[in-house]
């Protein structure tokens, strides 16, 4: 996830810009840059790699100025490279901009600006912003920014400055955080609190739609052209708490970030009311897809569970056989695949050794490889023929949460894309699913808003047991697999997931003494069967915790405890049903006093076979 720092005041800007960026390093990045205004000119320095490399590249140079902006970039549009790094400038180099987020209509804007003679030097969406501001600039930077802002679609936190209207920094925000810090010697922008610690004692979080004009004397915030009173908070957090966004653990922060991560994953790829999925320039085109007669999905751990969702939905959507494989088994089985097989590898880190080895084996056999990963230019991204990035942002907790939901979302997008290529679904059906995908981030947020207490109470009960069982049917079963993994890896409760119908073939013998049976029950056509399975467990003294869609009276009449989720299309249920399961694992782990973010014996990225 990108980071922003900005300063205008009495002191030299460079030391804060570098230190501010360093405090944002925990967010993850692949390049960094600064822009500083001095005596009528903006100097820009950009460098791929760590901030230390940027420092090395400017060592010995005099970069003076008391007004500047800086950025750490986590690539989304365009590979990590010096020319794609921020700050970006307009064609004449008079306006500099740093930006977090995704400008969805950047191709349209870029085309328009190119027609007017503006030139672009990067592959980024960001570069349209300085050029658009330049196009609107008639001597007043604020007026130009407001005019340009009205043309931007997507998410942004951006700060800009102009050598033709110096003495102020202007910040805008829509769906990406931007914070204003008030210091004794000047004022500050940052995308997150850690950058401001030690520099300011109070701050304001800019709200969506607001524009902040910052000078060395003060800050004015505008909404629709009128100045508004800012809400100023005292800065009391220490660095550790600030990096966790005020949450006790990274895992909780990452769970709560999911609406934003899902929006980023969708951004620019679908449009409400349209049937088209834009996944960039995939080599997997209609001609290639025509020949595909089997899909193999390969991954480890949580990513393997995301593949399982893929299997169920691709078989429904595409009517192509799908195999799901554990990467560490796959390569030694001499798997049967050829150029007619599409191999989809899924990996958050893009560095998992087992998955990488499986990829190599599939590639050797002539299969087309499509990777779904969170990390730009990771080994898996580099080795694959095609890549879809999940855009979850850096995930620090060992237990994967936002990486899973964005993997599943990317799997849906790919499914719709392939269905369109193969003509397997009618456009109206695709459009209905796209419209519902659009609503999913808000529905995830609604779970946090309405169900947190219920989920916490469930987790506290489950935490008192040493065993737990997760059951479900169809897409509810594949989410049960992920729920069980989450619970065991961070709370150390022994947890198993079963297809609900399988319980009676052996495992029912273990359902005694109020053992928790967490039952995922959203698939309408299987509801009656699911109720029978719940009854089987309850009769043996199992304690039933159900996850169901709101307005389902049948479940509440049989389960002991119910968490209700906003209704969605049954096909898309996994993105919602997994949320309470992640939270149950989290709160159970907290109650048992386990190390939530760094569970024993586990590593975030497993680079050995
Ligand atoms: O980086 P990857 O997605 O390839 O990692 C795969 C697994 O190691 C990972 O999902 C692991 O299972 C998580 N700790 C689960 O929360």
């Amino acid at each position: 996830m990108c980071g922003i720092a900005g300063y205008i005041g009495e002191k030299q800007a460079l030391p804060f810009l570098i230190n501010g960026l360093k405090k944002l390093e925990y967010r993850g990045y692949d390049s960094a840059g600064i822009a500083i205004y001095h005596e009528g000119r903006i100097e820009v320095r950009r460098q791929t790699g760590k901030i230390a490399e940027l420092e090395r590249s400017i060592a010995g140079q005099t970069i003076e100025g008391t007004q500047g902006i800086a950025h750490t970039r986590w690539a989304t549009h365009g590979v990590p490279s010096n020319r794609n790094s921020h700050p970006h400038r307009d064609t004449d180099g008079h306006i500099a901009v740093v930006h977090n987020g995704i400008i969805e209509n950047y191709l349209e804007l870029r085309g328009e600006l190119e027609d007017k003679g503006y030139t672009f030097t990067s592959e980024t969406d960001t570069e349209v912003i300085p050029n658009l501001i330049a196009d609107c600039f008639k001597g007043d930077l604020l007026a130009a920014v407001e005019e340009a802002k009205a043309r931007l679609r997507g998410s942004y936190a951006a700060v800009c400055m102009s050598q033709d209207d110096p003495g102020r920094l202007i910040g805008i925000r829509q769906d990406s955080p931007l914070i204003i810090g008030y210091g004794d010697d000047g004022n500050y922008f940052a995308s997150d609190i850690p950058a401001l610690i030690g520099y300011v004692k109070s701050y304001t979080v800019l709200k969506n739609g607001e524009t902040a004009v910052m000078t060395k004397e003060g800050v004015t915030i505008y909404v629709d052209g009128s100045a508004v009173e800012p809400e100023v908070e005292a800065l009391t957090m220490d660095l550790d708490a600030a990096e966790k966004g005020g949450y006790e653990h990274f895992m909780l922060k990452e769970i709560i970030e999911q609406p934003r991560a899902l929006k980023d994953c969708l951004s620019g790829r679908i449009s409400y009311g349209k049937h088209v999925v834009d996944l960039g320039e995939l080599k997997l085109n209609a001609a290639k897809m025509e020949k595909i007669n089997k899909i193999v999905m390969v991954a480890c751990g949580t990513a393997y569970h995301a593949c399982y969702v893929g299997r169920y939905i691709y078989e429904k959507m595409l009517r192509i056989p799908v195999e799901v494989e554990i990467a560490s088994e796959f390569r030694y089985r001499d798997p049967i695949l050829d150029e007619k097989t599409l191999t989809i590898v899924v990996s958050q880190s893009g560095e998992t050794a087992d998955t990488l080895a499986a990829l190599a084996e599939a590639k050797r056999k002539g299969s087309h490889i499509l990777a779904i990963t969170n990390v730009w230019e990771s080994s898996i991204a580099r080795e694959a023929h095609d890549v879809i990035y999940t855009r979850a942002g850096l995930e620090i907790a060992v237990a994967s949460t936002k990486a899973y939901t964005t993997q599943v979302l990317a799997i849906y997008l790919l499914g719709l894309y392939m269905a369109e290529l193969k003509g397997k679904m009618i456009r109206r059906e695709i459009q209905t699913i796209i419209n519902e995908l659009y609503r999913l981030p808000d529905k995830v947020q609604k779970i946090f808003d309405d169900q947190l207490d219920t989920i916490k109470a469930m987790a506290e009960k489950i935490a008192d047991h040493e065993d737990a069982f997760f059951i479900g049917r169809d897409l509810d079963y594949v989410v049960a697999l992920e729920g069980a993994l989450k619970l065991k890896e961070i709370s150390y409760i022994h947890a198993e997931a079963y297809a609900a119908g399988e319980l009676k073939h052996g495992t029912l013998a273990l359902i005694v003494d109020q053992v928790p049976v967490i039952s995922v029950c959203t698939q309408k056509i299987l509801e009656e069967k699911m109720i029978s399975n719940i009854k089987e467990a309850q009769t043996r003294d199992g304690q039933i915790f159900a996850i169901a869609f709101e307005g389902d009276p049948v479940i509440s009449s049989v389960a002991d405890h119910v968490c209700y989720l906003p209704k969605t299309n049954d096909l898309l249920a996994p993105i919602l049903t997994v949320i309470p399961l992640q939270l149950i694992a989290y709160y159970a782990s907290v109650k048992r006093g386990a190390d939530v973010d760094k569970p024993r014996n586990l590593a975030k990225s497993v680079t050995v076979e």
Side-chain angles (χ1 to χ4, degrees), residues 444-479:
V444 172
Q445 184 59 49
K446 198 163 180 325
I447 302 174
F448 302 143
D449 295 343
D450 298 349
Q451 296 294 317
L452 216 50
D453 290 341
T454 306
I455 296 168
K456 226 181 211 170
M458 285 177 155
E460 303 223 326
K461 290 195 169 66
I462 293 166
D464 291 336
H465 293 263
E466 289 310 318
D467 302 285
F469 295 90
F470 288 73
I471 60 170
R473 283 174 172 261
D474 198 270
L475 282 165
D476 289 336
Y477 163 57
V478 302
V479 176

Side-chain angles (χ1 to χ4, degrees), residues 299-304 346-353 355 380 395 397-401 403 407 482 485-486 489 599 602-606:
C300 305
T302 287
Y304 168 71
V346 181
S347 170
Q348 187 285 128
S349 61
E351 300 297 342
T352 300
T355 311
I380 285 176
E395 195 179 65
V398 167
S400 197
T401 54
Q407 282 162 357
E482 175 58 9
L485 175 63
K486 278 297 83 93
E489 79 174 320
L602 300 178
K604 181 69 188 159
S605 183
V606 186

Side-chain angles (χ1 to χ4, degrees), residues 14 17-18 32-38 40-47 54 57-58 61-64 67-71 81-90 92-98 121 127 130 159-163:
L14 187 62
L17 295 180
I18 296 290
I34 51 156
I36 295 186
Y37 169 80
H38 187 56
R41 265 181 62 81
I42 292 176
E43 286 291 329
V44 173
R45 299 286 188 280
R46 306 182 296 183
Q47 183 64 46
L54 174 67
S57 73
I58 59 177
Q61 301 179 17
T62 315
I63 307 176
E64 278 185 277
Q67 156 179 1
I69 54 180
H71 192 262
S81 65
N82 287 358
R83 70 192 176 90
N84 285 335
S85 311
H86 301 212
H88 284 284
R89 279 177 292 179
D90 67 305
D92 291 338
H94 289 203
I95 295 169
V97 171
V98 287
T121 56
E127 204 181 354
V159 181
C160 70
M161 60 181 183
S162 166
Q163 65 187 43

